[in-house]
């Protein structure tokens, strides 16, 4: 069953570092089914041009707090895809 | 016991000597950690670094880290500052200062702050190499 | 690999900022430890401290400690300075700085220096309390 | 058998902190049998006025290096009795 328009919410997706390079954009407005999980939103994102190489299970923050992929989204949520961080200091797996 | 906590994300150069005066005469031990941009990484010659932050979240997350650490250890002062933007060789990327009555708590708290910053702070580093190429550190984990 | 090692025993005030510049742009991590005279100990209010050193031996022993630590860890710079004489509240008794490529080595080396100083350096501390009495710290171990 | 004078060596004993307070002196010239151990020198010291409260097995340095109580002394050695140190920073057993 297709969701009707009133069942869709708009959320803002923020992209940083190499995720932003992939998207060639730092911010994307995304339509998701109301109450969809973060996992669902990520799947939708990966369907967009250039974003199929995003990881299927990235680290995600919603409204500036880390959440699990099962977190349910509300309208106007700010979703940030968090690329692997290296402490700002050291290379990824080197340290 | 209560602790004095300061979390700061800044695009301005960090002067480590600014935080040397932390703590009071109740503190027997002060541990400073200074992370600097080093001229090599993974066998490549590094020219400078560029840090990008999710600014709204980074300062909030840094404050969470410091608050948790202050809950875990008997410390009177926990302060951390992290650079964003372009940082030249030898400049300070991150500075941490912890003051405590006893040294064990000061060392352990400082290490925990640095470990948590490394794991959680939404700040990304792009290395610029001597040959002019640039790479986002950690990007290897992207499926591509 | 070779390390730069500096051991110093001094009757002059220690200015921690003097050692902030240690290390080179090859070093990603610098850990400073500053031990200060604190205003309380064992429930008593402390007015100031007096340090007495076996001077001929203390500097030699400090150098031995730093050399051993530099052998144990991959560090480029290990420096420690310890006060003697009368030290007022909040003044620095001991300062240690370690610079290294990686932070784990810097923290561990710094902790090891401090632990060894505490165990081996022939320097004794007399606490002067707010009530004017004085006690050699550790004197309880004397059979009397 | 009593040692003859030529069998005695003179060593210098340095006293610090509360050991010096006990002796009311920072340095003592001590005659010991030539080749005596540090342990023997300590026993002789404890026979001197005011020094019976020195520990029977103190930490000792000879010529500015820590040695065991079984170390043999040579003429003109500098023996230092090392009171418990507290790192210059923290109280004895408190830390």
């Amino acid at each position: 069953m297709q969701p009707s328009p009133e069942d869709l919410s708009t959320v803002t997706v923020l992209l940083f570092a190499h995720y932003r390079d992939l998207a060639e954009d730092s911010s994307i407005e995304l339509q998701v089914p109301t109450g969809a999980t973060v996992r669902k939103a990520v799947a939708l994102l990966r369907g967009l041009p250039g974003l199929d190489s995003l990881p299927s299970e990235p680290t995600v923050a919603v409204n500036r707090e880390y959440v699990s992929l099962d977190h349910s989204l509300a309208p106007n949520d700010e979703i940030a895809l968090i690329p692997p961080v290296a402490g700002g200091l050291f290379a990824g797996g080197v340290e | 016991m209560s602790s004095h906590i300061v979390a700061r994300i800044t695009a301005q150069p960090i002067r480590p000597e600014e935080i040397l005066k932390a703590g009071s005469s109740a503190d027997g031990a002060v541990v400073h950690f200074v992370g600097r941009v080093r001229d090599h990484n993974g066998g490549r010659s590094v020219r400078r670094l560029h840090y990008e932050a999710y600014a709204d979240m980074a300062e909030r997350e840094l404050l969470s880290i410091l608050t948790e650490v202050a809950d875990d250890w008997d410390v009177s002062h926990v302060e951390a500052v992290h650079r964003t933007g372009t940082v030249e060789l030898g400049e300070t990327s991150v500075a941490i200062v912890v003051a405590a009555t006893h040294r064990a708590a000061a060392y352990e708290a400082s290490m925990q702050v640095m470990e948590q910053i490394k794991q959680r702070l939404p700040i990304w580093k792009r290395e610029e190499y001597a040959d002019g190429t640039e790479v986002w550190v950690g990007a290897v984990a992207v499926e591509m």
Side-chain angles (χ1 to χ4, degrees), chain A, chain B:
Chain A
M1 193 174 77
Q2 285 296 103
S4 62
E6 59 267 35
D7 289 325
L8 288 176
S9 300
T10 301
V11 296
T12 302
V13 178
L14 302 182
L15 296 157
F16 297 96
H18 42 289
Y19 292 174
R20 190 194 53 234
D21 292 349
L22 292 174
E24 296 179 346
D25 210 338
S26 61
S27 172
I28 293 172
E29 300 292 305
L30 188 71
Q31 302 269 81
V32 298
T34 296
T37 63
V38 168
R39 191 186 306 277
K40 173 67 176 169
V42 170
L44 290 169
L45 272 175
R46 296 178 80 224
L48 298 180
L51 291 183
D52 56 325
S53 59
L54 280 178
S56 54
E57 301 197 335
T59 300
V60 174
V62 171
N63 301 331
R64 293 166 289 285
E65 292 207 24
Y66 289 110
V67 297
S68 80
L69 294 173
D70 298 321
H71 179 86
S72 293
L73 294 168
N76 304 313
D77 271 354
E78 179 178 288
I79 307 177
L81 265 61
I82 308 288
V85 293
L89 253 193
F90 304 111
V94 173
E95 187 67 4
Chain B
M1 84 174 259
S2 74
S3 305
H4 188 225
I5 293 173
V6 182
R8 198 156 59 92
I9 307 293
T10 179
Q12 302 304 314
I14 297 170
R15 297 174 55 237
E17 58 271 31
E18 286 169 15
I19 59 173
L20 267 181
K21 303 295 180 189
S24 72
S25 61
D27 300 309
V30 184
V31 172
H32 303 90
F33 175 83
V34 175
R36 296 177 181 164
V37 176
R38 63 171 195 251
D39 59 11
H40 64 287
N41 192 22
R44 299 190 68 174
S45 184
V46 174
R47 185 188 284 168
R48 62 177 65 83
L49 296 184
H50 307 274
Y51 287 101
E52 174 182 333
Y54 179 10
D56 289 350
M57 180 175 172
E59 197 152 288
R60 173 191 179 135
E61 192 69 16
L62 185 55
L63 188 59
S64 295
I65 290 169
L66 302 186
T67 304
E68 290 166 20
V69 169
D71 283 346
D72 287 353
W73 300 98
D74 187 5
V75 293
S76 65
H77 185 104
V78 188
E79 180 169 354
V81 52
H82 200 298
R83 269 296 295 278
T84 58
T86 298
V87 187
E88 303 291 339
L89 294 187
E91 287 189 351
T92 298
S93 307
V94 58
I96 300 168
V97 57
V98 179
T101 302
H102 297 292
R103 76 179 192 284
Y107 275 116
E108 293 293 336
S110 177
M111 287 190 285
Q112 187 178 329
V113 169
M114 193 55 223
E115 187 60 34
Q116 291 295 311
I117 283 177
K118 187 167 144 70
Q119 290 180 19
R120 292 163 51 181
L121 209 61
I123 296 184
W124 299 274
K125 175 168 88 170
R126 195 168 78 244
E127 288 184 337
E128 181 181 330
Y129 301 107
D131 62 10
T133 60
E134 300 191 358
V135 167
W136 285 107
V137 174
V140 64
V142 184
E143 295 166 5
M144 64 181 186

